[in-house]
Amino acid sequence: MEMRLLALALAAATCTTTSYAEETNRDIEQVIVTGSRFVESIDEVPVSVTVVDRDTIQQQLQVSSELQNLLAIHVPGLAAANGSTSNFGTTLRGRSPLVMIDGVPQSTPLRNGALGMRTLDPDVIERIEVIKGATSIYGNGAAGGIINYITKSAADSEFAAQASVSSRFSAAKFEDSAGLRTQGSVSGTRDKFSFVVSASRDERGVERDAEGDVMGTIYGLSESVTENYFTKLGYRLDDEKSLQLTYNYYEGRQNADLVDVLGSVNEGTKTYALPLSDGDTKLGDAQGPRGNHNLAIKYVDDHLTDNTQMTIDAYGQKIENVFFFSTALSNPEEGYDGGQSMIKSGKKGLRFNFNTQLSWEWVDGTLTYGLDALNDVTSQPLLDGRIWVPEMDMDSLAGYLQTKWILDNDWIFKAGVRRENIDLVVDDYRTLKLCANADTCSVPMDVKGDTLSYEATTYNLALRYHINDHFSPFANYSQGADISDLGGLLRSATVNDIALIQTEASIIDNYEIGFDTHFDNFDFSIAAYKSTSELGTASFYNPKTGVYEPVRAPHKMWGYEFALKYRISESLNVGANYSWVEGKNEKTDEYLDARIISPPKFVAHLDWRPVDNANLALTYYRVGERKRFEPDENGNWGGSFAPVSAYDVVNLSANYRRDNWNFFAGVENLLNEEYFSARAQAFTYSGGAYHTMGLGTTINTGVNYSF
């Protein structure tokens, strides 16, 4: 499809930041690149941002290698972790975030399969930058903000290497639970050439809950194998120009010889798994990413002119994410007793970004401007050949201009605009006939395809004022344009022409105020926000067809969050964060369900260094209750409207360093708390398959060697 040229924008998209970074040294300047597309001090960003640094990632790895767990603990505003490979229901301030690796999108917003958070090994990540609130800085899919994994850079020395091996097992019941994780990397810089190469493999045993039972397999981790291979090569052409190539391969398959015993939210029974009986075979193929490929090439000219830097990015991506086998995808008339779907997505992108520095007597200015071109082809076929979501071929071209003005070193003003044109082609297709049971089937429909065109102009304004070295308030307004999960609309079509489906883009308006305080030993940040959109992304269950159908109603979310850190001494630090969000359908004045709104979340942590070469960390994680809905006339809950009761989890980790060796151990759910995650409590989907008890006490221990 031919792309149409966009007009370049006139003023700039901004990103403000309240930072909850786990820095151990306040003298190290904190910088961020995600929100503005250039390196800037986090103290100059007037939007809520969380930066998770390398030390925090390494500490979390001692407990678990799951990125969703790490993000849920360290990012206020992100929904509670659900203990699975899926981030379904894991929203950021009530809306879906766009997940990226070094700026390359990992999410599949055209058919949001909620698997983007688990796309690379955390050992490859240098830091994670999370921009909160609707933003159009990187285009479609960022209704809730951006989660950007920044990968490691090469070591300054000619050669450096490290290797680690660890084992993870259940303390609730050891049998068949032991796994093995291996990881190694080399990096270095010599003359004009630099390199980073990393490989990891994580083989898991069965995952057990606090009662010692094997957890359910839907999006599960039991008997799964995850592999990640990462390469970053750099070459400096001269003092001003450089070239970089990055490739990442990620695969994570679960092919467990287990069968689920389904529980029920309404009956109060949990879902768990048992070994297959002799002679039985597991239905379907292994679930998880078959092999996700990311390739990116970056060219940087630091001095295109005296005051302008140019960056050119080209990237490609191929994703195949396989879901679990489901009897809800059955069609007895055609001989199907169930089915297994897969999201196939391919992206090709090209970005031109320019950064121009301006300076007057008491004003410093930065202009960031450029063009983004993206082709995204996404579909959701079934492995048996049926097509559930037809191929969607999207071409997007956007122009943007972002401005930043620092007045008298104290006032920071940002303003911006982005103009986006999207053409999306869908050929004629037929919706599937799917049967939840013999009496509940959807009605197939022939739908005429078309080319859908979208145009959107979004604006951003933000202001931060450094009153003094200790206090800095900010306020911002930002917009985002979103056509995410169009595939969900297409597969549940009830009309015969795509033009009659309500596929309009959603424009999100985000408002935020807050402040940061910084003292020698104490940091505190707080932000309050409101987010509105005329078209939401809720759905309801149609009992006549057994299909969840979209509801494009106006939505409003609001909430607040805070983070603090206090250094008691050189060897002892404590910190905490809290987030609360709520949302309503403004048309009906009804609260939004758990797919969108998560319960309150509180995290407290303690870091203690008893001696110079040892460290101990304790984390307390509490998810509060949310009970906004009433059961039906039979006393049962449906959809994702069941109540959530509070629960608590405590994690512990420790490490000891000697010469080049680092010995570590971590315990997840130290007190063996018997609990159901917020998603497990609220969701009644898939016959109760989500109602799995949380992970019981699990120990992870290993060693790392660097040279």
Side-chain angles (χ1 to χ4, degrees):
M1 184 198 315
E2 191 175 43
M3 296 188 191
R4 295 178 295 170
L5 186 62
L6 293 183
L8 281 174
L10 297 177
T14 193
C15 74
T16 5
T17 64
T18 57
S19 162
Y20 177 59
E22 295 294 326
E23 291 287 349
T24 57
N25 187 346
R26 289 289 301 174
D27 296 332
I28 299 176
E29 184 182 15
Q30 299 177 33
V31 297
I32 185 169
V33 298
T34 301
S36 302
R37 294 190 170 192
F38 67 92
V39 176
E40 60 180 337
S41 170
I42 200 169
D43 293 330
E44 296 177 357
V45 185
V47 164
S48 283
V49 171
T50 295
V51 177
V52 184
D53 71 1
R54 180 61 198 167
D55 288 343
T56 305
I57 296 169
Q58 196 65 44
Q59 187 181 91
Q60 178 65 28
L61 272 170
Q62 297 170 9
V63 177
S64 169
S65 61
E66 291 305 305
L67 281 169
Q68 189 181 151
N69 294 353
L70 182 153
L71 291 167
I73 289 172
H74 295 286
V75 180
L78 189 72
N82 56 54
S84 76
T85 61
S86 168
N87 47 274
F88 181 43
T90 306
T91 56
L92 183 58
R93 292 185 172 181
R95 299 188 187 274
S96 296
L98 179 67
V99 180
M100 304 188 299
I101 298 176
D102 292 331
V104 176
Q106 302 302 299
S107 304
T108 54
L110 290 179
R111 174 73 274 273
N112 189 356
L115 296 169
M117 286 187 186
R118 200 171 186 267
T119 53
L120 83 169
D121 190 271
D123 251 313
V124 174
I125 302 173
E126 183 64 34
R127 69 183 186 279
I128 306 171
E129 298 177 356
V130 182
I131 314 295
K132 302 172 191 176
T135 176
S136 56
I137 293 170
Y138 287 91
N140 183 46
I146 297 168
I147 299 173
N148 194 10
Y149 301 137
I150 310 296
T151 58
K152 287 182 176 179
S153 300
D156 293 332
S157 59
E158 288 193 359
F159 183 83
Q162 65 88 28
S164 66
V165 59
S166 60
S167 181
R168 176 180 167 91
F169 55 89
S170 172
K173 185 178 180 181
F174 178 79
E175 182 183 357
D176 297 327
S177 68
L180 180 67
R181 171 182 164 83
T182 55
Q183 184 273 336
S185 65
V186 295
S187 71
T189 301
R190 183 171 184 177
D191 297 329
K192 297 181 178 182
F193 179 71
S194 64
F195 66 94
V196 180
V197 179
S198 177
S200 66
R201 179 179 175 89
D202 194 345
E203 301 180 51
R204 301 217 179 190
V206 296
E207 301 266 301
R208 296 189 181 275
D209 62 26
E211 295 177 337
D213 293 322
V214 179
M215 299 168 63
T217 63
I218 302 301
Y219 298 121
L221 289 163
S222 290
E223 297 182 357
S224 63
V225 178
T226 301
E227 297 182 44
N228 193 97
Y229 304 100
F230 174 82
T231 301
K232 180 186 287 187
L233 306 176
Y235 185 76
R236 181 158 288 280
L237 302 171
D238 56 34
D239 291 341
E240 300 174 350
K241 303 178 185 66
S242 62
L243 192 64
Q244 178 178 283
L245 183 146
T246 305
Y247 173 73
N248 189 71
Y249 174 86
Y250 182 85
E251 176 182 317
R253 312 297 305 280
Q254 185 202 42
N255 196 16
D257 292 326
L258 300 168
V259 60
D260 284 347
V261 179
L262 294 181
S264 169
V265 171
N266 293 307
E267 295 176 7
T269 55
K270 71 177 182 181
T271 292
Y272 61 98
L274 293 173
L276 289 170
S277 301
D278 292 341
D280 289 344
T281 57
K282 187 173 178 62
L283 295 174
D285 197 5
Q287 61 177 304
R290 279 185 170 179
N292 293 352
H293 304 264
N294 283 272
L295 177 67
I297 300 174
K298 176 184 290 188
Y299 172 76
V300 178
D301 187 340
D302 289 326
H303 290 90
L304 183 66
T305 65
D306 288 343
N307 62 343
T308 298
Q309 179 197 64
M310 179 182 71
T311 302
I312 302 175
D313 286 292
Y315 62 88
Q317 181 201 63
K318 179 182 177 182
I319 287 176
E320 290 187 352
N321 283 330
V322 178
F323 292 92
F324 54 88
F325 184 90
S326 173
T327 56
L329 299 176
S330 67
N331 185 342
E333 288 185 359
E334 298 182 10
Y336 297 107
D337 59 358
Q340 197 169 7
S341 72
M342 170 178 65
I343 289 182
K344 296 182 64 176
S345 181
K347 300 185 183 75
K348 291 177 289 186
L350 181 63
R351 297 187 296 221
F352 296 86
N353 187 73
F354 301 88
N355 181 261
T356 298
Q357 302 292 328
L358 305 171
S359 183
W360 292 275
E361 290 186 0
W362 53 279
V363 178
D364 291 316
T366 302
L367 306 181
T368 304
Y369 47 96
L371 285 172
D372 290 345
L374 171 66
N375 173 250
D376 184 345
V377 180
T378 299
S379 62
Q380 189 176 11
L382 270 62
L383 300 190
D384 55 35
R386 291 178 289 170
I387 301 298
W388 196 8
V389 176
E391 187 172 270
M392 298 166 286
D393 189 340
M394 183 189 80
D395 279 338
S396 169
L397 187 62
Y400 59 90
L401 172 65
Q402 304 175 47
T403 66
K404 173 182 174 181
W405 307 98
I406 302 177
L407 313 178
D408 203 25
N409 293 321
D410 293 326
W411 293 89
I412 299 159
F413 175 74
K414 289 191 174 185
V417 64
R418 179 185 175 101
R419 174 69 174 178
E420 187 141 21
N421 281 15
I422 295 174
D423 285 337
L424 189 143
V425 174
V426 180
D427 292 334
D428 298 348
Y429 70 99
R430 181 176 177 83
T431 62
L432 280 182
K433 180 179 180 179
L434 301 176
C435 299
N437 54 59
D439 301 318
T440 305
C441 295
S442 63
V443 178
M445 177 80 64
D446 289 313
V447 182
K448 181 179 180 298
D450 202 349
T451 298
L452 304 176
S453 297
Y454 305 88
E455 295 182 356
T457 303
T458 53
Y459 302 92
N460 299 265
L461 293 170
L463 179 68
R464 178 183 286 274
Y465 177 46
H466 293 302
I467 294 177
N468 53 45
D469 292 339
H470 305 298
F471 186 69
S472 176
F474 66 87
N476 67 78
Y477 165 71
S478 60
Q479 288 183 310
D482 191 41
I483 61 167
S484 62
D485 214 6
L486 182 64
L489 295 171
L490 299 183
R491 76 183 189 185
S492 58
T494 57
V495 293
N496 60 6
D497 192 328
I498 192 175
L500 302 176
I501 303 173
Q502 195 175 6
T503 59
E504 295 93 333
S506 178
I507 303 297
I508 299 106
D509 294 299
N510 189 79
Y511 309 84
E512 182 182 32
I513 59 172
F515 66 83
D516 300 338
T517 58
H518 300 294
F519 295 90
D520 290 340
N521 296 323
F522 179 74
D523 295 341
F524 178 76
S525 301
I526 189 169
Y529 57 88
K530 181 178 75 171
S531 174
T532 62
S533 62
E534 290 300 316
L535 295 173
T537 56
S539 62
F540 78 99
Y541 179 75
N542 187 332
K544 295 181 180 179
T545 64
V547 172
Y548 287 91
E549 299 178 2
V551 178
R552 302 301 305 276
H555 284 178
K556 178 176 72 173
M557 290 86 162
W558 65 97
Y560 68 94
E561 58 198 44
F562 71 78
L564 62 87
K565 183 177 179 182
Y566 180 61
R567 179 182 296 178
I568 298 174
S569 67
E570 288 295 323
S571 61
L572 183 61
N573 296 283
V574 295
N577 69 74
Y578 177 81
S579 50
W580 179 91
V581 61
E582 193 51 87
K584 278 191 172 183
N585 179 326
E586 291 195 284
K587 183 177 180 180
T588 62
D589 195 36
E590 295 175 335
Y591 286 104
L592 297 173
D593 65 339
R595 288 180 63 236
I596 302 171
I597 303 298
S598 60
K601 185 184 68 175
F602 174 76
V603 177
H605 63 93
L606 179 147
D607 296 313
W608 180 40
R609 192 175 68 250
V611 293
D612 289 342
N613 57 346
N615 190 79
L616 185 72
L618 185 70
T619 301
Y620 168 70
Y621 179 75
R622 177 176 177 82
V623 176
E625 68 174 29
R626 184 172 186 257
K627 301 178 179 180
R628 294 295 194 184
F629 312 105
E630 297 294 331
D632 62 22
E633 62 274 9
N634 298 317
N636 292 326
W637 308 95
S640 49
F641 294 92
V644 176
S645 297
Y647 57 91
D648 309 273
V649 179
V650 177
N651 297 335
L652 176 68
S653 67
N655 70 288
Y656 175 75
R657 298 174 298 280
R658 184 178 179 86
D659 298 327
N660 295 338
W661 296 90
N662 182 29
F663 303 90
F664 60 87
V667 184
E668 189 169 357
N669 193 1
L670 177 68
L671 304 180
N672 204 37
E673 177 81 5
E674 296 182 6
Y675 73 95
F676 291 88
S677 71
R679 188 181 76 169
Q681 293 184 61
F683 286 27
T684 65
Y685 298 125
S686 301
Y690 288 95
H691 198 55
T692 298
M693 187 179 287
L695 188 71
T697 299
T698 301
I699 298 173
N700 183 56
T701 183
V703 60
N704 178 282
Y705 180 72
S706 300
F707 55 95

